[in-house]
Amino acid sequence: QGVLSDLTKVTGLHGLDPVLLVLVVGIVMFTLGFAGCVGALRENICLLKFFCGAIVFIFLLEVAVAVLAFLFQDWVRDRVKEFFENNIKSYRDDIDLQNLIDSLQKINHCCGAQGPDDWDFNIYFNCSSESKSREKCGVPFSCCIPDPAQKVVNTQCGYDIRKKSKSQWDDQIFVKGCILALEAWLPRNIYIVAGVFIAISLLQIFGIFLARTLISDIEAVKAGNAF
């Protein structure tokens, strides 16, 4: 939505509309599905080779990204921090981005990239004396520790919280940064992550095998007919 009308949001990392990511993934899946399905039904070697080559490329890309992310953890951490901070700046500019950040903070019980003070990057939550926002020196409601007794979400629970001393934050908001929360989440769920990666890899390898087998059979039949 908003990001499509201003591509600098993507190129400048000023915020990423989740809808754009969904659109890109959908287009890739549709293209691969179309090529594989029509290629198999019509025995079209060109479409099958495209399907096979694309899956091989995606598989190699996944492996390369995983290896590079492991080798350059500090660089990845810095890029994630920069990306998260830039998205904090654009929090109120895009409702999809806002919902994504809120979900991330609520699920991981975190606030900001490194901590609640990161919300100073946003003009609405900034503590500067020039700010006229009612949300000044606060945090989004998704940073608040939920009260089991409240059935209705209090969207104003984070107002003025950072005007208080940090010793009072623990009882009202999450104080851990989302980068630290995500780093802590990975070791706890390493077997799940590894299992998902292996399952996806096996499906891709199986798809490549089937495509190559079908291509070989079609070429063999055509060669036989030629004689």
Side-chain angles (χ1 to χ4, degrees):
Q1 298 174 358
V3 78
L4 295 178
S5 62
D6 184 7
L7 293 179
T8 59
K9 284 188 176 181
V10 176
T11 57
L13 287 178
H14 298 307
L16 176 63
D17 193 330
V19 171
L20 183 64
L21 180 62
V22 173
L23 285 172
V24 171
V25 172
I27 290 170
V28 171
M29 291 180 65
F30 172 80
T31 303
L32 285 177
F34 178 83
C37 183
V38 176
L41 289 173
R42 305 297 298 175
E43 297 185 350
N44 188 305
I45 292 179
C46 290
L47 286 176
L48 289 173
K49 285 184 176 180
F50 169 78
F51 172 80
C52 185
I55 293 184
V56 170
F57 174 76
I58 292 172
F59 176 74
L60 294 177
L61 188 64
E62 290 170 352
V63 173
V65 168
V67 171
L68 290 174
F70 178 77
L71 294 177
F72 300 98
Q73 295 181 39
D74 291 337
W75 183 87
V76 172
R77 188 180 295 109
D78 290 340
R79 298 289 78 75
V80 172
K81 178 176 178 291
E82 178 186 356
F83 182 71
F84 202 97
E85 288 175 351
N86 284 322
N87 280 316
I88 286 176
K89 294 177 185 177
S90 306
Y91 177 76
R92 288 297 189 206
D93 299 341
D94 189 328
I95 188 63
D96 297 311
L97 178 64
Q98 181 175 310
N99 291 334
L100 180 64
I101 292 177
D102 284 336
S103 297
L104 181 65
Q105 292 188 146
K106 284 189 289 186
I107 291 172
N108 293 284
H109 294 174
C110 60
C111 187
Q114 301 281 17
D117 282 332
D118 286 337
W119 283 98
D120 271 335
F121 291 115
N122 187 281
I123 59 173
Y124 297 100
F125 297 97
N126 192 286
C127 287
S128 65
S129 57
E130 293 81 13
S131 176
K132 304 299 182 183
S133 172
R134 178 61 189 88
E135 296 175 310
K136 174 183 175 181
C137 228
V139 293
F141 75 94
S142 54
C143 285
C144 297
I145 298 174
D147 184 354
Q150 286 185 343
K151 294 184 179 180
V152 179
V153 176
N154 179 10
T155 57
Q156 299 180 2
C157 59
Y159 283 13
D160 304 321
I161 186 67
R162 288 189 296 122
K163 290 180 180 179
K164 303 176 182 179
S165 63
K166 291 190 177 183
S167 60
Q168 297 178 284
W169 292 5
D170 292 337
D171 297 329
Q172 296 179 310
I173 63 171
F174 305 120
V175 295
K176 182 187 291 185
C178 288
I179 293 177
L180 295 175
L182 291 173
E183 288 178 349
W185 177 88
L186 186 58
R188 294 198 308 267
N189 298 273
I190 189 65
Y191 294 111
I192 296 175
V193 174
V196 171
F197 181 77
I198 291 172
I200 293 174
S201 299
L202 289 176
L203 285 173
Q204 290 173 326
I205 292 171
F206 186 60
I208 294 167
F209 170 75
L210 289 178
R212 290 303 310 168
T213 302
L214 185 55
I215 290 172
S216 298
D217 290 345
I218 294 171
E219 289 177 340
V221 170
K222 288 184 176 180
N225 292 335
F227 291 105

